[in-house]
Each structure stands twice: as C-alpha cells, then as structure tokens.
Amino acid sequence: GKIKNRKLTVSDKYAALEKRFPKTDVNTQNEFYGNFNQLKLLKQKYPHLKTLISVGGWDGSGGFSLAASTEKNREKFSKSVLEFLEKYNFDGIDIDWEFPTHGGKQPSYPKDKYNFTLLLESLRKTLGDKYLITAALPANRPSLNILELEKIGQIADWVNLMSYDFRGS
C-alpha cells in the first residue's frame, strides 16, 4: 500500500484488484479480483492465516510525514486504514516508514520521531485489538535512535527488524 492525500491506497491497482486468475475467477461477480482476492480465497481455505497490508518502504514512505503531522491527519489516515482492512479482508497493517526524520524518498522532519509514535497510537485507538499493527524498523543504532522504542513496543503487536541494515546499506 501507499499513502495518498493522507489516506491508505492501493499501490498497484492492477495486481491487487484487477488481474484475473483463470482457475479461481471464472464466472464470479467479485467486488475485486487480483492478489487481494487470492489472499481472501486462501484465508477461506486456511482460516487461521493472517494477512497484513504493508505500507511504505524506501520508495513508498513519502506520505507518512504529512499523514502523521497533525491529530486530524492521523485520524484521517487511521480511519482510511480501518476501511481498507474491512473492504479487502486484511487482518492488520504493517507500517514501513523508512525512516522518520531521514531516509527514503520523502520530506522528513525532526518532529517525525514523535509523530511516528502518535500515528501508531491513532491506529491502535481506531483499530482496537481486532486488527494487528506491526512495524518494520531499522536495525542499526543511528536509525534506532530516531524512534521512541519503549512506546512503540507498547503499541505494536510486533516489530520486524530490517536485519539487512545492521551494517548500513
């Protein structure tokens, strides 16, 4: 996923929603097709399976700073996440903001350190315990210093450390 106008959106509409799969999309009137439908079908077969939408990445982190910058923006983003998860049958969201205060192809600001935590808090308030919230976090010390790790650990269900960042790029 990506952020556009402070809302969660699909990053590749064709692959996620439109691509038809001959064996499973024959003679159906689905609301959507593509990989999202394939995940839905897989979850029907394996009900214990959990799927999350990942948002951001190095190239896709551009909308985070604005989405996290004010309470109103955080609420707008969080509500859009809830709508997205319900519509496409996901069990949660993975925040991959690379990185608050620096990095990626984004504008970033020192206050993003705190706004990242506030964004996660807003998501938790909106999503409650029904949905998972995870984050992909850097593993090198300089990047970790830009985060409020204790607070993040209290909000997120888990974090994934980007172990390829132990020694830099």
Side-chain angles (χ1 to χ4, degrees):
K2 65 180 178 179
I3 301 171
K4 185 174 181 180
N5 298 322
R6 297 164 302 206
K7 293 175 81 174
L8 175 58
T9 62
V10 176
S11 56
D12 182 342
K13 190 175 178 183
Y14 174 74
L17 304 173
E18 298 170 355
K19 179 180 167 64
R20 297 286 182 118
F21 289 82
K23 291 184 180 181
T24 56
D25 294 337
V26 178
N27 298 324
T28 59
Q29 296 297 319
N30 291 347
E31 182 181 350
F32 56 88
Y33 295 94
N35 293 325
F36 286 7
N37 185 52
Q38 295 302 300
L39 289 171
K40 183 174 89 173
L41 294 172
L42 192 62
K43 286 176 63 171
Q44 289 171 355
K45 188 173 181 179
Y46 302 102
H48 64 283
L49 182 67
K50 302 292 182 200
T51 58
L52 287 81
I53 184 71
S54 183
V55 182
W58 186 264
D59 289 337
S61 291
F64 278 114
S65 191
L66 179 60
S69 65
T70 67
E71 184 176 355
K72 182 179 176 182
N73 288 355
R74 291 187 292 270
E75 287 177 5
K76 180 177 182 176
F77 176 71
S78 296
K79 287 178 183 176
S80 77
V81 168
L82 179 59
E83 292 168 5
F84 191 101
L85 298 180
E86 289 174 343
K87 181 174 184 177
Y88 299 119
N89 198 38
F90 283 97
D91 299 295
I93 184 168
D94 178 63
I95 301 295
D96 188 8
W97 184 349
E98 297 185 30
F99 298 106
T101 76
H102 74 286
K105 294 184 176 179
Q106 65 183 20
S108 56
Y109 309 94
K111 64 184 177 180
D112 288 341
K113 173 180 181 169
Y114 308 103
N115 288 341
F116 179 78
T117 306
L118 293 171
L119 183 67
L120 293 177
E121 288 175 348
S122 177
L123 284 166
R124 179 55 71 205
K125 180 180 174 185
T126 302
L127 302 179
D129 291 330
K130 181 179 178 183
Y131 294 100
L132 297 168
I133 299 172
T134 68
L137 300 181
N140 63 50
R141 189 157 307 280
S143 293
L144 283 173
N145 289 337
I146 56 125
L147 301 171
E148 296 181 290
L149 294 176
E150 292 87 12
K151 291 180 180 180
I152 291 169
Q154 297 299 313
I155 302 164
D157 292 290
W158 73 79
V159 298
N160 297 298
L161 291 179
M162 292 183 265
S163 58
Y164 49 83
D165 282 343
F166 276 129
R167 296 278 182 192
S169 55

